[in-house]
């Protein structure tokens, strides 16, 4: 079974640069859905090279681009 970090329904509004820097070897799911996320720094996902799944559903994100996901490739 895949490991999971569930941060759903926590009223998170912003994700700062390198917010997940200590999860560089995490290979599971990161669930950030059902928060109040409006903004994600372009380097917020830096270091999540082995992440298998990311959920950002049901938030208030204004814009995302490929730059946000460059470290996941």
């Amino acid at each position: 079974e895949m490991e999971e970090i569930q941060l759903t329904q926590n009223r998170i509004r912003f994700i700062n640069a390198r917010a997940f820097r200590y999860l560089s070897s995490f290979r599971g799911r990161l669930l950030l859905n059902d928060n109040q996320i409006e903004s994600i720094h372009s380097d917020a996902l830096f270091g999540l090279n082995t992440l298998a799944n990311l959920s950002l559903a049901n938030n208030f994100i204004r814009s995302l681009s490929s730059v946000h996901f460059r470290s996941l490739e």
Side-chain angles (χ1 to χ4, degrees), residues 48-49 66 69-73:
L48 289 174
N49 308 10
S66 60
F69 304 101
R70 68 182 177 267
S71 69
L72 302 179
E73 297 176 34

Side-chain angles (χ1 to χ4, degrees), residues 6-13 31 33-36:
Q6 189 174 76
L7 298 173
T8 60
Q9 299 179 344
N10 279 296
R11 298 183 183 165
I12 297 169
R13 294 187 62 208
L31 305 177
N33 48 298
D34 299 307
N35 279 290
Q36 298 171 359

Side-chain angles (χ1 to χ4, degrees), residues 25-43:
S25 61
F26 181 67
R27 297 179 183 270
R29 293 185 192 111
L30 178 57
L31 305 177
L32 292 163
N33 48 298
D34 299 307
N35 279 290
Q36 298 171 359
I37 299 170
E38 298 175 10
S39 175
I40 299 175
H41 189 280
S42 60
D43 287 329

Side-chain angles (χ1 to χ4, degrees), residues 16-26 43-48:
N16 295 323
R18 299 177 184 243
F20 306 104
R21 64 188 168 274
Y22 300 113
L23 297 176
S24 61
S25 61
F26 181 67
D43 287 329
L45 304 176
F46 181 84
L48 289 174

